[in-house]
Amino acid sequence: MAGPGRYCGRGLAESYPRVLEFSRRAGWRTMHTLQVDGGDAEGSQGVKLFNSSWTFDDIPSSQLVRSVAVLKMTQYKPVVTYGPKLFSMAQNIPVVRESANFVAKRTFFKQFCGGETLEECIPLADRLQHKGVACIYDYSVEASPEKKGLAKSPTCYDQTARIISDSVGFAHRQGHRAFVCVKVSGVVDDSVLEKSSRALMSGNLKANLHQALKDLKSENPPGLTGNDKTEFMAGLDRLDMICQAGHQLDVPILIDAEQYSLQAAIDLCAVAMQKRYNREKPWIYSTLQSYLKTAPARLDFLRESALENNFKYALKHVRGAYMVSERQTAEKSGYSSPICESESSTHEQYDNHSRQMLRDLSENGAAALFATHNANSLRRIAEGCSRMNIPKSSPRLHFAQLYGMGDTLTIGMAKAGFNAAKYVPYGPISEALPYLSR
């Protein structure tokens, strides 16, 4: 799922009737992208996606004004381009850091993150639960292009794994049907993931992934030797600790997608965890990015692995979050972009993969979480559920959007009877920077 930067200018303003007049008087031009995506006619499943009274009736106008102001700022290219760099620089100057964090916490961080700790997320979780919406808790520690290759001590990865494992217990105690998200680069050195991914992408990706899954039995991760091999297996153990906690406490674990240069190794780790824990129920999810040209091969690998190894696959389906940086990296490194050439190609892949996932959900016990802000996709998937007689409230079917945007979509799906969730990042402001930058 893309970070907030992916949707600059598409935000929430068009859905805030109490604030539109304020925006007009302030001279702010709001955009109506979501309305272009299909209006608000109800589909065959009674899905009504743009009912602002359902969504914002309990939110103070002051909070709505802040949201519009933040989203308006994201429309300015200098803010998006230079803001994250200046904020990162400020973290190295104590006096400036305190001021920068004070402002960020009350604006961008407040808009898109649940808090710095899980306890700070409780009021938000309670409010969402009241509206029939679950939380996806995400400790926002991940690799970023700016920090790529910077070594961390094993202690840092161990600490991140413990924090995420603790969040599983927190989610279980809250009893809010919550998910917990993990980014593999938070528990494994990203340079090791990149080396392993490079080996997997050399030649036939799907065949290499299948072979690598077999080789993991003997602790032979692809393309790695010596310390790199040791670090990869240690990272897999950390990931296993998190997945084991989720399995024991009935809290689904979402293994998130990341940058293309790391993703093949992440796919391998995710399927290894599903093979171990999804025998009876699909509790461990991997993530498919349908904007990748290799997305069909990655989905085939997951589906074939599930059949060959007798487990039920679970998949979070997104378009993708790193489009700009992936194209820049490809151009800089001299290889062709891994992203689909056109927006229509991405939409086509997303729709095709969604249909396949619904068939597998209906026939093979798979689980699907559709994470999208595209209203047309939501309606098409809802209609597909109706055609295949998939119950709206099936515990293996979920929909999700980012916290801080797309709220009418989330509430609309919940009101229609589907399982809906909000992706709620939390953690120190400095660690949330890569997510906020996206």
Side-chain angles (χ1 to χ4, degrees):
M1 190 176 292
R6 172 70 177 86
Y7 294 93
C8 293
R10 305 183 77 178
L12 301 173
E14 68 273 31
S15 301
Y16 290 162
R18 281 182 277 152
V19 184
L20 289 178
E21 180 62 16
F22 172 88
S23 302
R24 185 186 64 77
R25 291 181 181 179
W28 293 356
R29 179 177 60 85
T30 59
M31 298 181 72
H32 295 266
T33 305
L34 287 176
Q35 297 296 340
V36 174
D37 284 346
D40 205 20
E42 295 190 13
S44 61
Q45 288 279 64
V47 178
K48 192 172 184 179
L49 297 178
F50 300 109
N51 191 314
S52 56
S53 63
W54 290 346
T55 308
F56 307 115
D57 57 355
D58 63 342
I59 300 177
S61 294
S62 59
Q63 185 174 329
L64 299 182
V65 170
R66 186 210 67 218
S67 296
V68 172
V70 169
L71 291 162
K72 179 64 181 179
M73 281 190 280
T74 64
Q75 294 182 31
Y76 291 107
K77 190 173 181 180
V79 173
V80 177
T81 302
Y82 301 111
K85 295 176 183 177
L86 293 173
F87 182 81
S88 182
M89 290 169 58
Q91 300 306 301
N92 299 318
I93 308 171
V95 177
V96 179
R97 178 176 64 235
E98 291 180 13
S99 299
N101 289 353
F102 180 86
V103 173
K105 187 168 184 179
R106 285 155 182 78
T107 53
F108 293 93
F109 187 84
K110 185 77 172 176
Q111 177 67 27
F112 299 115
C113 298
E116 291 196 84
T117 65
L118 283 167
E119 287 69 26
E120 288 183 9
C121 296
I122 291 175
L124 170 63
D126 290 342
R127 182 172 69 80
L128 290 173
Q129 176 67 14
H130 179 70
K131 290 180 176 289
V133 176
C135 283
I136 300 171
Y137 294 109
D138 175 34
Y139 183 59
S140 294
V141 173
E142 62 179 288
S144 66
E146 293 78 15
K147 296 182 179 180
K148 204 169 183 181
L150 294 182
K152 290 183 181 178
S153 70
T155 304
C156 292
Y157 297 118
D158 291 339
Q159 181 182 12
T160 297
R162 283 194 297 271
I163 290 171
I164 299 172
S165 293
D166 289 344
S167 73
V168 175
F170 174 87
H172 174 72
R173 291 190 298 274
Q174 287 296 104
H176 285 175
R177 301 183 293 113
F179 292 73
V180 168
C181 186
V182 56
K183 290 183 172 61
V184 177
S185 68
V187 297
V188 186
D189 188 333
D190 62 282
S191 65
V192 172
L193 291 173
E194 186 169 19
K195 289 176 186 175
S196 184
S197 291
R198 195 179 301 127
L200 287 166
M201 292 187 292
S202 176
N204 187 307
L205 174 62
K206 187 175 76 168
N208 290 344
L209 282 166
H210 276 299
Q211 184 59 49
L213 188 62
K214 295 174 184 175
D215 292 343
L216 277 186
K217 291 179 183 177
S218 53
E219 299 190 355
N220 284 316
L224 302 176
T225 58
N227 290 337
D228 288 340
K229 176 180 174 180
T230 302
E231 171 54 29
F232 185 98
M233 297 310 299
L236 202 61
D237 287 341
R238 296 182 192 108
L239 185 61
D240 180 76
M241 178 177 73
I242 296 165
C243 293
Q244 185 178 52
H247 183 260
Q248 290 174 345
L249 296 176
D250 289 347
V251 175
I253 304 298
L254 302 180
I255 299 176
D256 215 349
E258 301 188 48
Q259 299 159 45
Y260 175 75
S261 61
L262 314 178
Q263 191 56 46
I266 292 170
D267 288 338
L268 175 63
C269 292
V271 173
M273 293 298 103
Q274 292 195 43
K275 180 181 173 184
R276 188 170 299 176
Y277 292 108
N278 284 12
R279 297 291 182 181
E280 296 178 3
K281 293 182 180 179
W283 287 111
I284 312 301
Y285 288 67
S286 54
T287 302
L288 179 69
Q289 299 166 300
S290 273
Y291 73 172
L292 291 179
K293 295 173 183 175
T294 54
R298 294 170 193 266
L299 178 58
D300 286 346
F301 163 62
L302 175 59
R303 297 182 67 243
E304 290 168 9
S305 296
L307 289 173
E308 290 171 10
N309 297 283
N310 194 32
F311 68 84
K312 302 179 190 302
Y313 85 75
L315 188 61
K316 182 180 79 161
H317 191 198
V318 302
R319 279 174 169 78
Y322 302 90
M323 182 174 66
V324 175
S325 62
E326 295 291 15
R327 284 176 172 160
Q328 289 174 344
T329 301
E331 185 177 354
K332 225 179 266 186
S333 304
Y335 60 83
S336 62
S337 171
I339 308 299
C340 289
E341 299 299 337
S342 66
E343 185 178 9
S344 61
S345 298
T346 297
H347 291 330
E348 183 180 0
Q349 285 205 152
Y350 192 90
D351 290 342
N352 289 340
H353 296 155
S354 295
R355 282 191 291 271
Q356 182 61 65
M357 290 168 64
L358 287 179
R359 285 194 291 271
D360 289 339
L361 189 157
S362 176
E363 299 169 8
N364 301 321
L369 189 154
F370 297 100
T372 178
H373 293 82
N374 186 293
N376 287 331
S377 291
L378 291 172
R379 289 199 180 90
R380 279 192 284 267
I381 294 166
E383 289 164 2
C385 291
S386 180
R387 285 194 303 274
M388 298 182 195
N389 296 315
I390 298 171
K392 293 179 180 181
S393 59
S394 169
R396 293 181 287 110
L397 174 67
H398 290 80
F399 297 85
Q401 287 76 39
L402 299 171
Y403 172 60
M405 57 202 312
D407 292 1
T408 55
L409 304 179
T410 312
I411 301 301
M413 296 304 289
K415 282 283 188 180
F418 291 97
N419 296 314
K422 273 293 185 189
Y423 183 92
V424 180
Y426 73 96
I429 291 179
S430 57
E431 296 289 357
L433 181 61
Y435 169 74
L436 292 172
S437 298
R438 292 191 275 116

